Amino acid sequence: MLDTVFGPVADDEHWYDGLNSYLNALRDVDRSVELVLDALEASGQADRTVVVFTADHGEMAGSHGLRQKGNLVYDENFHVPFILSHPDVPGGTRTEALGSGVDLAPTLLECAGVAPSEIATRFPALGGSSLVPVLDGTVVRQGALSAVESIVTLDASFWFEFADSDASARVQSGALRPDWTKRGFLRAYTDDRYTFGRYFSPLNPNRPKDLESLFADNDVVL
């Protein structure tokens, strides 16, 4: 799909250009964060403010011969930074504890002083778990689930059709549709050692009970 939309990576110089662009994007983010932290210090609020730094996804940047993001189960794609600076907690420590994007809201709520019991009562539909106990070395979750359902990475031939100016009209008329039989939807699970993923067709969502049905209806990666 990326080759279709952005063009192929012709040689190593293209990969190096992509790495340079990504590195400078990170440096630009660092400079912007520094401005925010300096302003927080200047306002006198730094010693009573919780600061969280994270991201929604990673960048393949050439790893595994891939680029950008997409419905992938590689660390480069979904292992994102999560840095929490709390004025009441000594800094400089690291943890291998697992977390997930759904944990962000309950974590921030508890940092703001809302007790877990109150979170459960006031927001019963809120998924995830607060990661605050991780600060004391407590394991919050044994693994993390991933689910991706996106037509963007489902059918490259669909996007190739947009080279023609009438593609939008064909979509509106129903003449142009992705190939829904392709296995581009993802379910995955990650623990402290393994990541397992299975790709399936949107027309065939399945819950395999054994290896035979797993391999029959899914493309798998471990």
Side-chain angles (χ1 to χ4, degrees):
M1 190 278 289
L2 294 173
D3 285 350
T4 297
V5 175
F6 300 112
V9 178
D11 51 37
D12 285 349
E13 286 303 314
H14 274 182
W15 288 118
Y16 291 134
D17 288 343
L19 285 169
N20 285 337
S21 176
Y22 188 47
L23 173 61
N24 281 287
L26 295 176
R27 293 172 66 188
D28 188 51
V29 168
D30 286 348
R31 284 191 291 265
S32 299
V33 170
E34 187 176 24
L35 288 173
V36 173
L37 296 179
D38 287 346
L40 191 61
E41 192 76 39
S43 71
Q45 302 298 308
D47 62 350
R48 59 188 303 270
T49 302
V50 175
V51 178
V52 174
F53 179 89
T54 188
D56 58 338
H57 62 82
E59 163 65 46
M60 295 306 297
S63 295
H64 308 280
L66 298 168
R67 50 185 161 148
Q68 295 203 17
K69 45 177 182 175
N71 54 343
L72 305 166
V73 294
Y74 296 118
D75 279 355
E76 295 89 346
N77 182 64
F78 67 20
H79 185 188
V80 298
F82 183 81
I83 302 171
L84 188 147
S85 174
H86 196 299
D88 298 335
V89 179
T93 61
R94 297 173 63 92
T95 176
E96 297 297 318
L98 290 166
S100 175
V102 295
D103 300 330
L104 291 176
T107 299
L108 296 176
L109 285 170
E110 186 171 353
C111 284
V114 185
S117 58
E118 185 179 356
I119 295 174
T121 302
R122 292 176 58 185
F123 310 104
L126 187 64
S129 304
S130 170
L131 297 174
V132 169
V134 172
L135 297 174
D136 296 324
T138 302
V139 175
V140 172
R141 55 168 63 244
Q142 299 299 317
L145 293 168
S146 299
V148 181
E149 299 179 0
S150 172
I151 64 169
V152 173
T153 50
L154 177 66
D155 182 11
S157 59
F158 171 73
W159 298 107
F160 185 78
E161 295 295 324
F162 283 81
D164 295 331
S165 59
D166 65 345
S168 296
R170 291 163 61 200
V171 169
Q172 290 180 350
S173 70
L176 177 60
R177 288 289 185 268
D179 183 352
W180 298 103
T181 65
K182 292 186 175 180
R183 294 175 175 179
F185 281 18
L186 169 69
R187 294 291 184 274
Y189 179 78
T190 298
D191 62 17
D192 59 354
R193 183 176 181 183
Y194 295 110
T195 291
F196 170 79
R198 62 180 182 91
Y199 293 90
F200 56 91
S201 161
L203 299 181
N204 186 28
N206 61 95
R207 293 185 176 183
K209 303 292 186 182
D210 51 49
L211 284 176
E212 184 178 1
S213 57
L214 172 67
F215 292 135
D217 297 324
N218 304 269
D219 296 326
V220 300
V221 58
L222 177 64

